[in-house]
Amino acid sequence: MAGGDRREQILAAAERVATVDGLEALTMRSAAAAAGVSLRLVQYYFHSKAGLLDAVLTRFSERGYADSRSRIDAIADTSAARRLQMFARSVLPTDDEGRRFHRLGVSFASLAIREPDLAQTAYRANLAVLESVLAGMIGDAAAESGSDRIDAVAEARLLMSALHGLATMTMVGQIDEIEAADLVDRLLLGRTWFDATVGSQPSEPSPARANNPDSVCSIKPSVSSESRARSR
């Protein structure tokens, strides 16, 4: 087996350990056992537990972002704000992969707080990637709408905070998938740069909402108008 394939085999096994048994159970030894390789081989590729954690988080995040971006790229002819809306919805834990992603992210956040020397660098790097992606999409939406003086990084951080909270509330059953998608829409509709760009475009319902058109959280035209008035 080629070196790259062997490394990927170890990472896939380490990810299974982390998502099934928790990050506390992920060690170089447990990764080796799960992958069916020697401890020395894991040490060769990753050098330390911190290196292994960094690689696992990077692999998982890149796959999640790539999946979201592939769906967004498929509608490249829509507005920048519409693509941002779809990206924001896509990171909600509405399927098994999304729930695994959020569960692992929460575990990494907890580990980064408890053991900053071990996991903080990797976790902050992951946050920086998401921040960069969102800031770029927000900047595109603002430019498209003619808005100026937009702090895209600050807007990205606000959106990241909201998405993390909504994801957690969905995972613990405080809200359902329909409500989570609607709340993302409400949040974005409250931003002047977003309203100006997609004001004439109807919001595409989430799959769950499409099956439940009477959802109490469905966006109504008056919500956008009220949000714009408040934001101004």
Side-chain angles (χ1 to χ4, degrees), residues 143-190:
E144 187 176 76
S145 69
S147 300
D148 58 3
R149 298 183 180 178
I150 294 294
D151 187 339
V153 171
E155 294 284 334
R157 290 173 176 173
L158 286 170
L159 183 54
M160 287 169 64
S161 300
L163 290 173
H164 181 79
L166 289 173
T168 298
M169 291 171 72
T170 303
M171 289 283 288
V172 301
Q174 179 68 20
I175 58 177
D176 61 26
E177 296 172 9
I178 298 172
E179 292 172 303
D182 283 333
L183 288 168
V184 168
D185 292 347
R186 289 176 187 268
L187 173 66
L188 291 174
L189 286 167

Side-chain angles (χ1 to χ4, degrees), residues 17-19 21-27 49 53 56 104 107-109 111:
V17 172
T19 54
D21 300 324
L23 281 174
E24 293 77 6
L26 178 57
T27 63
K49 181 178 178 179
L53 287 170
V56 169
L104 186 60
S107 295
F108 260 105
L111 186 62

Side-chain angles (χ1 to χ4, degrees), residues 79-135:
S79 71
R82 184 75 179 91
R83 293 194 297 275
L84 172 63
Q85 179 190 38
M86 289 194 67
F87 183 88
R89 285 180 177 181
S90 74
V91 301
L92 294 172
T94 58
D95 55 22
D96 288 342
E97 184 71 3
R99 286 184 280 273
R100 288 179 63 236
F101 185 90
H102 187 66
R103 191 181 301 113
L104 186 60
V106 170
S107 295
F108 260 105
S110 178
L111 186 62
I113 293 170
R114 296 196 317 271
E115 300 185 51
D117 292 340
L118 179 62
Q120 194 173 89
T121 297
Y123 187 70
R124 289 178 62 181
N126 177 63
L127 292 179
V129 170
L130 178 56
E131 179 184 295
S132 178
V133 170
L134 288 174

Side-chain angles (χ1 to χ4, degrees), residues 25-48:
L26 178 57
T27 63
M28 302 187 83
R29 191 175 299 279
S30 66
V37 300
S38 68
L39 175 60
R40 180 169 296 184
L41 190 62
V42 178
Q43 292 170 332
Y44 170 78
Y45 283 115
F46 303 103
H47 310 298
S48 65

Side-chain angles (χ1 to χ4, degrees), residues 164-228:
H164 181 79
L166 289 173
T168 298
M169 291 171 72
T170 303
M171 289 283 288
V172 301
Q174 179 68 20
I175 58 177
D176 61 26
E177 296 172 9
I178 298 172
E179 292 172 303
D182 283 333
L183 288 168
V184 168
D185 292 347
R186 289 176 187 268
L187 173 66
L188 291 174
L189 286 167
R191 316 312 295 173
T192 54
W193 47 266
F194 187 90
D195 290 339
T197 304
V198 299
S200 62
Q201 296 182 5
S203 175
E204 178 184 281
S206 65
R209 193 193 310 150
N211 294 326
N212 183 13
D214 297 325
S215 168
V216 296
C217 287
S218 295
I219 296 295
K220 299 178 175 63
S222 60
V223 172
S224 178
S225 300
E226 293 170 1
S227 298
R228 280 200 295 271

